[in-house]
Amino acid sequence: MSAIVALAGVELRGLTRRRWLLVAAAVGIAVVLLCAVLAAGDSGVERDDTFRAGGASLLLLGGLVVAIGLGAAALNRDAESGHLGILAAAGPGRARLAGAAILARVAALIAVLAAWGLLLQLASAAIGRGLDGPLAVHTLSAAENLLLALLAAAAVSSVVGGVASGIVGVTLYVLAQAVVNLEAAADQNLIGTAETGVRAAYVVLPRIVVSPMIFLLQARDEAGPAAPQMEINGTVVFVPASAWSSVVWTLAWCVGIGLLAAYGLRRRPLA
């Protein structure tokens, strides 16, 4: 385990020099400041909604850019360049190399989200809202959802190129969101005969973790791009906040996908 951590540290230092990652983090900081400026012009509930919707949109859209960018190049880039082959020949083993590469990217994602989350809290306090507990909880749920997308892209990156890996990561994220949305529609008896299949998919497939904050914003159609309101036959579908079972289930999927990435690298020829 110590070897994986050491290798991950070296990989992480390299990631901190990637220009695109630094630019993405900086843009996120600028978006936080913009959210604060826009929310400062409102008051009461409107101010809360403006700030929280802006923060949630940053965590979703900006977070996906960072997660997919990190995951899609986790293994294929170094495998094609011969870098992983040299390291494997030196003795660490493919499983450790894959574990280190993925661990470094998970750490990088968490670092970016933590920076954005901390700045969101500071900005909230600066405009007179104080620290925002529901937004902090939402930041944690968003981090788990983005981790799922990152690991999916990383797992596929052990066998295919960056573009295909990114597409798979986004697709799994959308699928996990669809599973939760359809389960909510089934609970409201809005999908008829498809209910059995939807419930089976909900039990088996990964799920997006919905925070209480985003549930309330979406129910009032104030969540913006982060969670637009969904309708079926003119009826609004209310997607409830996730239970702890969904949090644990999605984490289990993350672990399984991470192990799949290590297996994929073991089967891949290294240049």
Side-chain angles (χ1 to χ4, degrees):
M1 185 64 183
S2 60
I4 294 178
V5 173
L7 288 169
V10 174
E11 183 74 16
L12 182 59
R13 285 194 292 273
L15 288 173
T16 59
R17 294 191 292 270
R18 298 281 173 83
R19 182 175 300 176
W20 75 265
L21 184 58
L22 297 175
V23 170
V27 169
I29 292 173
V31 171
V32 171
L33 297 177
L34 178 61
C35 291
V37 171
L38 294 175
D42 296 325
S43 61
V45 175
E46 289 185 0
R47 181 179 61 175
D48 291 344
D49 287 348
T50 299
F51 189 80
R52 287 174 173 174
S57 297
L58 168 63
L59 293 170
L60 172 62
L61 303 177
L64 271 176
V65 170
V66 174
I68 297 303
L70 289 169
L75 300 173
N76 45 32
R77 179 176 177 178
D78 287 342
E80 292 169 358
S81 68
H83 179 65
L84 287 182
I86 294 173
L87 290 177
R94 296 189 179 204
R96 288 182 176 179
L97 291 175
I102 293 172
L103 181 60
R105 282 157 174 78
V106 169
L109 174 65
I110 291 175
V112 171
L113 295 178
W116 290 350
L118 177 59
L119 189 57
L120 281 167
Q121 294 298 324
L122 293 175
S124 177
I127 62 175
R129 297 184 63 251
L131 298 181
D132 193 328
L135 181 56
V137 172
H138 176 73
T139 302
L140 293 175
S141 69
E144 182 175 0
N145 297 335
L146 294 169
L147 181 62
L148 182 68
L150 184 154
L151 290 172
V156 179
S157 76
S158 64
V159 292
V160 299
V163 174
S165 300
I167 292 173
V168 170
V170 173
T171 300
L172 185 65
Y173 189 97
V174 173
L175 175 64
Q177 180 70 71
V179 165
V180 172
N181 290 348
L182 290 174
E183 172 67 11
D187 287 340
Q188 296 172 47
N189 300 313
L190 297 176
I191 56 176
T193 57
E195 181 175 328
T196 301
V198 166
R199 296 197 184 282
Y202 184 80
V203 170
V204 174
L205 297 176
R207 313 162 194 163
I208 288 298
V209 177
V210 181
S211 69
M213 184 197 85
I214 209 69
F215 160 65
L216 293 175
L217 287 175
Q218 185 182 39
R220 293 187 287 109
D221 199 17
E222 296 290 348
Q229 211 168 55
M230 183 178 73
E231 294 185 5
I232 295 181
N233 296 326
T235 302
V236 176
V237 177
F238 296 100
V239 183
S242 299
W244 277 105
S245 57
S246 291
V247 175
V248 174
W249 181 244
T250 300
L251 282 176
W253 262 91
C254 289
V255 172
I257 294 172
L259 294 174
L260 182 63
Y263 177 79
L265 185 63
R266 189 178 67 178
R267 305 288 297 178
R268 175 186 178 129
L270 298 179

